[in-house]
């Protein structure tokens, strides 16, 4: 393990001043003066600037990097020749292992955010053992790889200075502790605040939204309620000449980290009581129909032979695992936080490595947000799904949400080259439930109307009826 050393390393100058290969900068990495991400011919690289030289050298030489890689807590990287330098401020260029799919904290379920928080604290404690410290604790620096949270920002470390407080303390509280507390103690849907506040949920807002009983929790009282009051009290004050910031001993810092860890671990949420959490227990499929549908999905996947599958409306991931069990990288999307929570807990229990459960409202998918609408990418911008599965979904889009079939088809054509989709007709009991409380204005919602709408964008490769039902399963290829 460790950083791959170049054969001509001794010939390399300590600083790189010659600018060469023109790459394409990654929009989300422009804020850090330590370096930035870019791509050349689709390959991801990171330039490390002279500004970060001391910290980078210490990360590599102290043993911290090797220790984190060994325990799967950081994305490995290798140094590449100076020919990849992008600006005259460069010190080194590295090529990190690429994350299969970039997901954002507002797309994670409760336990994913909690595990990412605990991983951040574990990394900070490990860094202190090697004389370093995390200078930021952004939730965006964590990604889920092979089912586990991993740090992707190798420029997050700095040398630890005795007496210096943890500079990332406030950020940890805003990115992790506050949203987890709101999700656990107030309402699980408040995780969506992370989409509005991409720099973390303001602590004064979290303090107002949390119930009064949380003031009897020592951890939440200290790290959220009192922290928010302290921020407000000192918001307009500056240090006087000669006055230094409050110092914190190494033991005191470890105490803060232990307190944050205990406070984070105590927070919990039970995935129950939502509309789709127990979907497979109330489905209208017979056992025969369900097993035949599973067989058809397996057959369609064999024929499609995808490298990546996006399962839209995946619920707890029953059919996502038809793909992931084949070693196919599978992103398992659902709108219901309880279903996604159950899906992720299954991933953890069975140590599954090819499936990533995420929360997604397909009628309002994650947009491009942040500076200049480019800092956080939309769903469609991040990757292409190769093959999308949309099982028992189309009636919810077309009837529950009034999305015309041709619009559904056009959107799926943006996301994938192959589509495995299930048409659920009006005669189905699930559609009858949807129509029982509203006027049927969906004259085109028929088998013929469905095939006509999707034929504008896709060619039907195969279609099969699902036994003992009126449903039909399609395998389509984009035109």
């Amino acid at each position: 393990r460790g950083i791959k050393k170049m054969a001509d390393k001794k010939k390399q100058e300590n600083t790189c001043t010659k600018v060469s290969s023109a790459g394409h900068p990654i929009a989300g990495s422009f804020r850090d003066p330590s370096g930035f991400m870019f791509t050349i011919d689709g390959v991801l690289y990171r330039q490390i600037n002279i500004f970060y030289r001391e910290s980078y050298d210490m990360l590599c030489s102290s043993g911290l990097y090797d220790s984190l890689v060994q325990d799967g807590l950081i994305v490995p990287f290798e140094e590449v020749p100076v020919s990849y330098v992008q600006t005259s401020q460069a010190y080194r260029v590295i090529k990190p292992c690429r994350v299969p799919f970039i997901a954002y904290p507002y797309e994670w379920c409760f336990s994913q955010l909690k595990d990412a928080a605990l991983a951040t604290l574990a990394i900070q404690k490990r860094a202190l053992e090697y004389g370093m410290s995390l200078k930021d604790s952004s939730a965006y620096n964590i990604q889920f790889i092979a089912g586990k949270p991993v740090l992707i920002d190798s420029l997050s470390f700095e040398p630890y200075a005795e007496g210096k407080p943890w500079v990332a303390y406030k950020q940890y509280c805003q990115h992790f502790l506050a949203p987890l507390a709101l999700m656990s103690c107030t309402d699980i849907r408040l995780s969506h605040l992370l989409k509005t506040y991409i720099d973390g949920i303001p602590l004064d807002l979290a303090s107002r939204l949390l119930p009064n009983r949380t003031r009897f929790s020592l951890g939440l009282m200290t790290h959220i309620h009192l922290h928010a009051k302290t921020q407000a009290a000192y918001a307009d004050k500056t240090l006087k000449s000669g006055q230094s910031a409050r110092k914190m001993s190494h033991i005191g810092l470890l105490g803060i980290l232990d307190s944050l860890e205990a406070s984070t671990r105590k927070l919990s949420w039970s995935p129950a009581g939502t509309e789709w959490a127990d979907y497979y227990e109330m489905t209208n499929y017979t056992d025969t129909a369900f097993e035949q549908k599973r067989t058809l999905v397996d057959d369609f996947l064999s024929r499609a032979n995808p490298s990546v599958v996006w399962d839209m409306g995946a619920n707890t991931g029953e059919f996502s695992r038809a793909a992931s069990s084949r070693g196919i990288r599978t992103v398992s999307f659902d709108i219901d936080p309880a279903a996604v929570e159950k899906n992720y807990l299954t991933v953890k229990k069975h140590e599954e490595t090819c499936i990533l459960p995420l929360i997604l409202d397909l009628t309002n998918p994650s947009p491009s947000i942040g500076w200049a609408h480019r800092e956080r990418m939309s769903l469609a911008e991040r990757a292409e799904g190769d093959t999308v599965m949309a099982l028992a979904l189309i009636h919810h889009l077309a009837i529950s949400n009034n999305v015309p079939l041709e619009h559904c088809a056009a959107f799926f054509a943006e996301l994938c080259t192959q589509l495995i989709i299930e048409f659920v007709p009006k005669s189905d009991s699930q559609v009858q439930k949807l129509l029982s409380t509203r006027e049927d204005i969906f004259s085109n919602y028929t088998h013929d109307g469905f095939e006509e709408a999707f034929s504008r964008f896709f060619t039907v490769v195969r279609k099969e009826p699902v036994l003992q039902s009126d449903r039909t399963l399609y395998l389509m290829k984009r035109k």
Side-chain angles (χ1 to χ4, degrees):
R1 295 180 183 272
I3 306 169
K4 181 182 176 183
K5 303 298 183 181
M6 297 178 292
D8 60 347
K9 182 68 176 289
K10 292 183 180 180
K11 297 180 181 179
Q12 185 177 17
E13 297 181 358
N14 286 334
T15 57
C16 307
T17 58
K18 184 179 179 182
V19 179
S20 48
S21 304
H24 300 281
I26 301 297
S29 69
F30 70 95
R31 293 182 185 269
D32 191 353
S34 301
F36 58 91
M37 307 289 293
F38 63 97
T39 60
I40 297 177
D41 296 330
V43 179
L44 184 66
Y45 300 94
R46 184 192 292 272
Q47 176 172 302
I48 299 167
N49 292 335
I50 298 171
F51 177 85
Y52 193 69
R53 174 180 172 175
E54 178 186 356
S55 297
Y56 175 75
D57 287 346
M58 186 172 180
L59 171 66
C60 299
S61 63
S62 65
L64 174 58
Y65 169 80
D66 289 335
S67 175
L68 293 174
V69 169
Q70 184 174 357
D71 289 346
L73 290 171
I74 193 171
V75 169
F77 60 82
E78 63 181 47
E79 290 185 0
V80 297
V82 295
S83 57
Y84 290 90
V85 164
Q86 299 297 296
T87 73
S88 60
Q89 289 76 41
Y91 173 60
R92 295 282 189 268
V93 177
I94 60 175
K95 182 174 75 171
C97 289
R98 192 151 196 172
V99 179
F101 182 84
I102 295 293
Y104 298 134
Y106 44 82
E107 297 169 336
W108 296 343
C109 66
F110 177 85
S111 288
Q112 283 174 309
L113 184 60
K114 182 175 179 177
D115 286 349
L118 294 173
T120 300
L121 294 176
I123 292 167
Q124 168 64 0
K125 287 185 174 182
R126 183 72 57 85
L128 288 174
E129 294 175 11
Y130 290 86
M132 301 198 79
S133 178
L134 284 174
K135 60 186 175 73
D136 58 64
S137 56
S138 169
Y140 293 96
N141 288 345
I142 300 291
Q143 289 296 322
F144 283 82
I145 304 175
K148 297 180 180 180
V150 181
L151 179 70
I152 62 169
D153 188 2
S154 52
L155 308 187
S156 289
F157 301 92
E158 65 180 3
Y160 168 68
E162 180 69 35
K164 183 179 179 181
W166 188 30
V167 296
Y169 168 61
K170 172 186 172 183
Q171 193 172 42
Y172 179 87
C173 293
Q174 293 186 162
H175 278 240
F176 292 115
L177 190 60
L180 283 170
L182 290 169
M183 294 162 74
S184 173
C185 304
T186 306
D187 193 304
I188 191 66
R189 293 169 294 181
L190 290 177
S191 63
H192 292 299
L193 286 174
L194 288 168
K195 193 183 301 182
T196 300
Y197 298 101
I198 65 173
D199 291 327
I201 297 176
L203 296 184
D204 65 324
L205 177 60
S207 180
R208 291 181 184 180
L209 293 175
L210 285 170
N212 285 331
R213 60 185 170 84
T214 60
R215 298 179 183 273
F216 296 96
S217 164
L218 179 60
L220 297 184
M221 183 62 185
T222 301
H223 302 301
I224 295 181
H225 296 296
L226 290 180
H227 194 170
K229 284 188 176 182
T230 302
Q231 282 184 318
Y234 288 92
D236 298 324
K237 295 182 179 180
T238 57
L239 292 175
K240 296 180 181 179
S241 178
Q243 183 182 8
S244 60
R246 183 179 178 182
K247 292 185 178 181
M248 178 177 291
S249 68
H250 187 273
I251 294 176
L253 176 54
L254 289 175
I256 290 290
L257 295 176
D258 287 341
S259 176
L260 287 171
E261 181 178 358
S263 301
T264 302
R265 289 190 184 278
K266 286 179 183 178
L267 295 171
S268 62
W269 179 69
S270 178
T274 55
E275 184 177 4
W276 303 108
D278 302 311
Y279 172 76
Y280 290 118
E281 296 178 12
M282 61 181 183
T283 180
N284 60 354
Y285 285 117
T286 64
D287 291 343
T288 300
F290 193 82
E291 288 305 315
Q292 193 248 358
K293 177 180 174 180
R294 190 197 306 272
T295 299
L296 285 176
V297 170
D298 282 332
D299 290 345
F300 286 11
L301 285 170
S302 294
R303 182 156 185 171
N305 192 29
S307 58
V308 178
V309 165
W310 287 3
D311 188 2
M312 302 294 190
N315 200 261
T316 58
E318 180 75 23
F319 289 96
S320 298
R321 287 170 174 82
S324 64
S325 62
R326 294 167 172 262
I328 301 169
R329 289 190 288 107
T330 305
V331 187
S332 191
F333 296 102
D334 201 87
I335 190 175
D336 182 36
V340 178
E341 178 79 4
K342 288 186 174 183
N343 195 349
Y344 177 66
L345 293 178
T346 300
V347 169
K348 289 185 64 177
K349 180 179 179 180
H350 298 290
E351 296 183 346
E352 297 173 318
T353 60
C354 291
I355 184 169
L356 174 62
L358 293 175
I359 296 172
L360 177 74
D361 179 357
L362 201 58
T363 64
N364 184 26
S366 301
S368 301
I369 59 176
W371 178 254
H373 305 287
R374 297 181 61 198
E375 208 169 345
R376 309 293 173 216
M377 294 180 288
S378 70
L379 173 67
E381 289 173 323
R382 276 176 266 173
E384 187 174 65
D386 188 354
T387 295
V388 161
M389 294 199 302
L391 308 177
L393 175 67
I394 193 68
H395 53 304
H396 295 292
L397 298 177
I399 294 179
S400 298
N401 293 281
N402 285 40
V403 181
L405 289 171
E406 57 268 24
H407 286 249
C408 294
F411 182 62
F412 284 131
E414 289 183 26
L415 298 181
C416 66
T417 56
Q418 299 180 103
L419 177 65
I420 299 174
I421 188 168
E422 181 180 18
F423 181 73
V424 184
K426 290 182 182 179
S427 57
D428 189 275
S429 62
Q430 295 294 328
V431 180
Q432 288 296 310
K433 289 180 182 179
L434 299 180
L435 291 172
S436 63
T437 57
R438 62 176 306 174
E439 180 184 357
D440 184 357
I441 58 173
F442 310 99
S443 59
N444 292 330
Y445 189 82
T446 63
H447 274 102
D448 290 341
F450 171 80
E451 291 189 6
E452 180 183 355
F454 276 76
S455 67
R456 299 176 188 177
F457 304 91
F458 295 92
T459 299
V460 175
V461 176
R462 185 180 168 191
K463 72 175 183 178
E464 295 288 345
V466 179
L467 295 178
Q468 300 178 0
S469 78
D470 295 330
R471 302 185 178 196
T472 304
L473 204 63
Y474 292 81
L475 171 61
M476 300 182 179
K477 186 172 183 179
R478 187 174 65 193
K479 291 182 175 178

